[in-house]
Amino acid sequence: MRYPRGMKFAAVAAVLAMALTACGGSDSDSSTGSGSSSSSGSAKTLKIGLAFDIGGRGDKSFNDSAAAGFDKAGKEFKLESKELAAKADEVDADKEARLKELADAGYNTIVAVGFAYANALKAVAPDYPDTKFQIIDDSSVTGDNVASYTFKENEAAYLVGALAALSSKTGTVGFVGGVNNPLIQKFQAGFQAGAKAAKPSIKVLSTYISQPPDFSGFAAPDKGKVAATGLYERGADVIYAAAGLSNNGVFEAAAAAKKWAIGTDSDQYLTAAAAVKPYIIGSALKGVDTAVYNYIKSVEDNSFKAGNTVLGLKEDGVGYVINNEQFKQYATQIDTFKADIISGKITAPDKL
């Protein structure tokens, strides 16, 4: 399998695949103890609390990428963990309770997987100054014990936008977003710009599965399938999906229509059902796994730093992969776009 130059996700792929043996979507409690090849038997055990977003471990996308980062750390360090997952239609108070439950149980290194935890973390972090927190996809939470990691998803989306346009035979491509909020609009903005850059005449259709405050669009494969089917019926022959667990429904729609789909956050070809794999061109990659691993490592080696870390193409924090052989002919053109973004010659938009 070919990964584009500069990307460092390949080593995590096997870990991600192993992570998918568990089910997501409900609260779970698991303990993991693993020795480290770089430490002695007396090395300290880190107590890690994982607060997943909707879909939890097993979503084959965003949450599983975070889980892969934890699992990688578990192979190197001595970890004990507890995993809890968000539920559809819950409020901030539910997320606060989840973070407090982990902190009160002695899990003093906590990962909040997703921007939806921002308000809850703002309320909880000040009450637990000795607990270190990480939040993914949000930079609004500040504090000496909070490290945030955000990404230039628009840059990776720009690249797969170019891939979609170059791959399209109908001249129409589509975007399916999970929830219509600024973060997912960031994906859409990059995707549209990349598609237009590669093929100015391309038509871009878009739709969202749910509207805030309803976040169920990230965990509704049936609705993802309906949304994608609608775009295929309107002429799109390639759809890029940024909808978490709902991406699985988009892949099912692609297979049913015998058209194409592009995944996001992780290399979704690796974890897709065999029946839909032939219809997946590739994926936009987002290093949530890298962010979680780096955070845990920083706590383990006492190099933790509060504040926001931004990861884009230049930092190897985002990227893309092409899985389908017939579309690898476009890799050189896409890598040129990638180099131009890294150099500053191209700025991928992050807003619609």
Side-chain angles (χ1 to χ4, degrees):
M1 183 179 298
R2 177 190 180 278
Y3 281 81
R5 296 188 299 273
M7 287 304 300
K8 299 178 180 176
F9 295 93
V12 181
V15 178
L16 176 57
M18 292 172 61
L20 302 178
T21 57
C23 283
S26 62
D27 285 7
S28 62
D29 186 345
S30 65
S31 295
T32 303
S34 61
S36 170
S37 60
S38 61
S39 60
S40 68
S42 61
K44 64 183 178 182
T45 297
L46 295 181
K47 296 192 69 175
I48 310 293
L50 296 164
F52 286 115
D53 205 347
I54 295 173
R57 184 190 279 265
D59 72 345
K60 301 183 181 180
S61 184
F62 180 68
N63 288 294
D64 272 336
S65 188
F70 165 76
D71 292 343
K72 179 183 178 183
K75 292 182 178 297
E76 297 185 29
F77 316 124
K78 294 179 67 176
L79 306 180
E80 178 186 335
S81 72
K82 182 171 185 177
E83 302 180 5
L84 302 175
K87 298 180 177 65
D89 301 324
E90 68 178 24
V91 296
D92 285 338
D94 297 315
K95 292 180 173 62
E96 286 183 35
R98 184 172 301 114
L99 296 177
K100 288 179 179 179
E101 178 181 344
L102 292 169
D104 288 339
Y107 295 91
N108 55 15
T109 303
I110 294 175
V111 179
V113 185
F115 65 87
Y117 281 96
N119 290 335
L121 187 55
K122 287 174 186 176
V124 172
D127 295 336
Y128 296 87
D130 295 327
T131 298
K132 294 179 173 63
F133 295 91
Q134 178 191 41
I135 184 167
I136 302 292
D137 279 348
D138 180 87
S139 61
S140 67
V141 187
T142 59
D144 292 340
N145 59 337
V146 178
S148 58
Y149 285 75
T150 56
F151 300 83
K152 296 180 180 180
E153 298 93 347
N154 51 307
E155 293 184 348
Y158 188 102
L159 300 183
V160 296
L163 174 61
L166 293 169
S167 304
S168 176
K169 303 303 181 187
T170 65
T172 300
V173 298
F175 173 83
V176 173
V179 179
N180 190 1
N181 60 21
L183 176 63
I184 306 304
Q185 290 172 8
K186 191 175 173 184
F187 286 84
Q188 182 186 350
F191 176 75
Q192 292 178 170
K196 291 287 187 181
K199 190 181 291 185
S201 63
I202 200 76
K203 182 178 180 181
V204 182
L205 307 175
S206 63
T207 188
Y208 284 86
I209 298 171
S210 69
Q211 301 289 327
D214 177 7
F215 286 88
S216 65
F218 289 131
D222 56 337
K223 294 180 181 178
K225 184 175 182 178
V226 170
T229 298
L231 296 187
Y232 288 131
E233 290 176 346
R234 291 170 60 191
D237 60 346
V238 183
I239 290 177
Y240 170 46
L245 183 64
S246 300
N247 278 19
N248 296 319
V250 175
F251 300 150
E252 291 177 6
K258 298 192 183 319
K259 295 184 180 178
W260 306 106
I262 297 173
T264 203
D265 288 340
S266 63
D267 185 348
Q268 294 204 275
Y269 178 88
L270 296 177
T271 55
V276 305
K277 280 189 174 185
Y279 303 95
I280 297 175
I281 293 176
S283 295
L285 302 175
K286 177 175 172 177
V288 177
D289 49 2
T290 301
V292 171
Y293 170 81
N294 287 348
Y295 162 67
I296 294 173
K297 184 176 184 298
S298 76
V299 176
E300 196 276 340
D301 64 17
N302 296 314
S303 63
F304 171 87
K305 290 183 180 179
N308 186 43
T309 298
V310 182
L311 301 173
L313 287 174
K314 187 175 182 179
E315 298 78 22
D316 288 316
V318 299
Y320 80 103
V321 62
I322 301 175
N323 305 106
N324 194 300
E325 288 292 333
Q326 66 179 296
F327 298 106
K328 290 185 178 181
Q329 61 182 302
Y330 303 121
T332 299
Q333 291 168 266
I334 296 168
D335 283 343
T336 298
F337 284 126
K338 177 181 176 180
D340 287 345
I341 292 173
I342 291 173
S343 71
K345 184 177 179 179
I346 292 176
T347 299
D350 60 4
K351 291 181 177 61
L352 295 175

